[in-house]
Amino acid sequence: MPAFFNEIEPIRFEGPETTNPLAFRHYDAERQVLGKPLKDHLRFAVCYWHNFCWNGADVFGDGTFDRPWHQGTDAMALAHQKMDVAFDFFQKLGAPFWTFHDYDIAPEGADIRASRNNLAEMIDRAEAKQAETGVKLLWGTAKNFGNKRYMAGAATNPDPEVFAYAASQVQQALEATHRLGGANYVLWGGREGYETLLNTDLRQEQEQLGRFLKMVVEYKHKLGFKGALLIEPKPQEPTKHQYDYDSATVFGFLQKHGLEREIKVNIEVNHATLAGHTFQHELATASALGILGSVDANRGDYQNGWDTDQFPNSVEDMTLACYEIIKAGGFNTGGFNFDTKLRRTSIAADDLFHAHIGAMDTMALAYIKAAELYEGRVLSNFVEARYAGWQSELGRKILGGDMDLAATAKYAVDNSIDPQPVSSRQEMLENRVNRVLYG
């Protein structure tokens, strides 16, 4: 293993009273919650791109991170070094899963064949590292947005050759995910949108995107990949308006193309808030539509209008999100992937550990509190009582189609009904949540 994290010991659970900053206070992986270990509920994953590919640069300044695998001219040798460091980190952190884009782990070559050969070599390496460490793949994906060829989209590009190039990447990335035992494959439409309608045929682009997704679904079944296909919604950035705006938009698109039973969503916190929603809303919407797949756990900055990808640190916010996941039956193939990055000024090697430890503790405590809300029926008893009328004969007949509009109106008149407002008790319920959170 490389020397980069040699001074860091494996991170252990030491409990709430510990003063050790490099220890878990709340994430006890083996703690039984709702009948199984906490690790099996949370299914934590560490992303490859922000942690090991990004050098700390932004649009206003150069990179700030001193990473040896960013320095040198032999791109493949650096890729191997980077992967050694990454798996050393995964193992010491105790994260059971990781996630990657194709060109996170392998550099693009001089042409398409060289790029595919580079990725094939690094997939061999990743397979060996997984076997060595026991770390598994939560999901893989293709980076169909970074290269300038994708400046006007990938599947939605005006040029069908760009569409074909994107297809070649997705084919290989899906094959790699299948080979590495990935639980999911994610499709993020980073450039699938438009800047202006002055030069855009919106109907044409959406038809192209629908065809691309159908091709991916067909290839998944041909390949025998048993994992879930996931779309990651985002409203804008890098494009002004993206076609996968939020979970409801994605579902409508899938339904139009007959794919609503083939593809689910990977919901990111910061993307939800950029769309004007809460994370809890997006989870509840996806669950109600039957497309909840996995989660990118992070947070945004409410004073910034872009995707800041900060580590989650609010137990209160995440408790209500975890409550929706528990109500939905928990994760199947999904998990909590930390699509998160350090701040540019956090340049010490151990900052990566501090950031992930805090995020994992936040999510663990939130899940424990959410389980308490769920088991104690703190909210569900009230909600069931509030909608109990729909279990009456009238409610069942209306929803069951036994009463049309005229029959329903006749019922109202014949029975001289005079329904009165009933309090929603919002403040009382907020107090109940706070008692679970804070005692």
Side-chain angles (χ1 to χ4, degrees):
M1 283 294 188
F4 193 72
F5 295 122
N6 269 7
E7 296 182 3
I8 306 295
E9 296 294 325
I11 309 303
R12 309 295 185 196
F13 170 72
E14 295 183 7
E17 304 304 321
T18 187
T19 58
N20 179 7
L22 290 174
F24 294 120
R25 300 177 70 246
H26 301 289
Y27 178 52
D28 178 359
E30 301 301 330
R31 175 171 174 168
Q32 292 290 310
V33 176
L34 299 175
K36 64 182 181 181
L38 195 54
K39 65 181 181 182
D40 294 340
H41 287 287
L42 299 171
R43 292 168 59 84
F44 286 137
V46 175
C47 80
Y48 209 87
W49 50 99
H50 288 320
N51 294 303
F52 305 104
C53 300
W54 185 48
N55 66 359
D58 66 14
V59 294
F60 299 107
D62 297 334
T64 58
F65 299 152
D66 182 15
R67 308 292 198 237
W69 56 91
H70 292 160
Q71 302 164 14
T73 57
D74 188 334
M76 286 303 290
L78 294 174
H80 281 276
Q81 181 185 13
K82 178 170 61 175
M83 185 165 284
D84 284 346
V85 171
F87 274 87
D88 185 30
F89 179 80
F90 303 153
Q91 192 172 31
K92 286 184 174 178
L93 181 65
F97 295 96
W98 69 299
T99 55
F100 75 95
H101 301 84
D102 50 357
Y103 294 148
D104 296 338
I105 63 173
E108 290 196 63
D111 55 34
I112 190 170
R113 292 181 184 275
S115 295
R116 289 175 71 88
N117 289 340
N118 287 349
L119 181 56
E121 179 179 329
M122 293 310 301
I123 292 302
D124 289 343
R125 181 73 166 182
E127 186 175 47
K129 299 303 292 186
Q130 287 190 178
E132 176 187 337
T133 62
V135 177
K136 299 177 182 179
L137 181 63
L138 186 66
W139 52 258
T141 188
K143 192 175 182 181
N144 295 140
F145 53 88
N147 191 289
K148 64 182 180 181
R149 73 176 62 90
Y150 296 128
M151 68 179 187
T156 58
N157 199 284
D159 184 348
E161 289 197 350
V162 176
F163 182 106
Y165 201 108
S168 76
Q169 279 190 243
V170 171
Q171 179 209 28
Q172 191 179 21
L174 182 55
E175 288 174 350
T177 300
H178 178 49
R179 177 179 165 188
L180 294 174
N184 311 272
Y185 182 84
V186 169
L187 296 139
W188 179 54
R191 300 283 180 186
E192 312 297 20
Y194 64 86
E195 299 294 338
T196 174
L197 288 173
L198 296 176
N199 56 17
T200 301
D201 186 334
L202 193 148
R203 182 188 297 273
Q204 169 72 23
E205 292 196 359
Q206 294 211 358
E207 285 302 310
Q208 290 173 208
L209 183 56
R211 178 62 189 138
F212 193 92
L213 293 177
K214 288 179 181 178
M215 292 166 66
V216 175
V217 168
E218 290 164 1
Y219 195 70
K220 168 197 166 173
H221 292 302
K222 179 179 179 181
L223 192 62
F225 178 57
K226 301 302 182 184
L229 295 178
L230 309 175
I231 287 177
E232 183 169 323
K234 191 177 185 182
Q236 72 275 328
E237 190 202 45
T239 59
K240 179 180 179 180
H241 183 100
Q242 292 184 202
Y243 298 133
D244 53 358
Y245 192 93
D246 58 10
S247 293
T249 304
V250 168
F251 181 77
F253 186 90
L254 293 175
Q255 197 170 47
K256 176 184 177 182
H257 293 277
L259 296 170
E260 69 273 17
R261 295 186 179 180
E262 295 283 358
I263 301 176
K264 298 181 184 296
V265 288
N266 180 61
I267 300 174
E268 179 174 316
V269 180
N270 207 171
H271 295 179
T273 53
L274 286 173
H277 305 311
T278 64
F279 182 39
Q280 182 187 11
H281 164 86
E282 278 290 87
L283 291 168
T285 299
S287 174
L289 295 172
I291 58 170
L292 177 59
S294 196
V295 162
D296 277 1
N298 59 17
R299 78 179 198 275
D301 187 317
Y302 292 106
Q303 292 180 299
N304 291 337
W306 59 87
D307 193 3
T308 56
D309 288 324
Q310 293 170 251
F311 286 83
N313 65 358
S314 172
V315 173
E316 181 175 349
D317 288 347
M318 286 300 185
T319 294
L320 294 176
C322 289
Y323 180 70
E324 295 299 330
I325 292 170
I326 292 172
K327 281 171 54 184
F331 290 125
N332 183 9
T333 59
F336 285 108
N337 173 54
F338 293 115
D339 186 356
T340 45
K341 61 186 178 185
L342 295 172
R343 300 303 89 190
R344 294 180 69 243
T345 53
S346 297
I347 60 175
D350 65 357
D351 285 332
L352 271 179
F353 282 94
H354 289 293
H356 283 87
I357 290 167
M360 292 164 78
D361 268 344
T362 295
M363 297 309 306
L365 184 54
Y367 209 91
I368 291 167
K369 294 294 185 180
E372 187 176 341
L373 285 172
Y374 181 79
E375 287 189 302
R377 299 184 61 82
V378 174
L379 302 175
S380 58
N381 280 343
F382 180 85
V383 172
E384 287 177 10
R386 190 179 185 210
Y387 290 90
W390 288 97
Q391 302 305 315
S392 68
E393 182 180 5
L394 173 63
R396 290 197 303 272
K397 283 185 174 181
I398 292 172
L399 291 181
D402 296 325
M403 294 174 66
D404 60 13
L405 184 65
T408 305
K410 184 175 185 301
Y411 171 91
V413 174
D414 289 351
N415 290 276
S416 300
I417 64 172
D418 183 24
Q420 297 299 308
V422 178
S423 176
S424 69
R425 312 291 277 174
Q426 179 175 332
E427 291 77 12
M428 178 193 73
L429 296 174
E430 290 170 343
N431 291 345
R432 287 185 180 180
V433 171
N434 279 345
R435 289 189 189 107
V436 170
L437 286 170
Y438 308 114

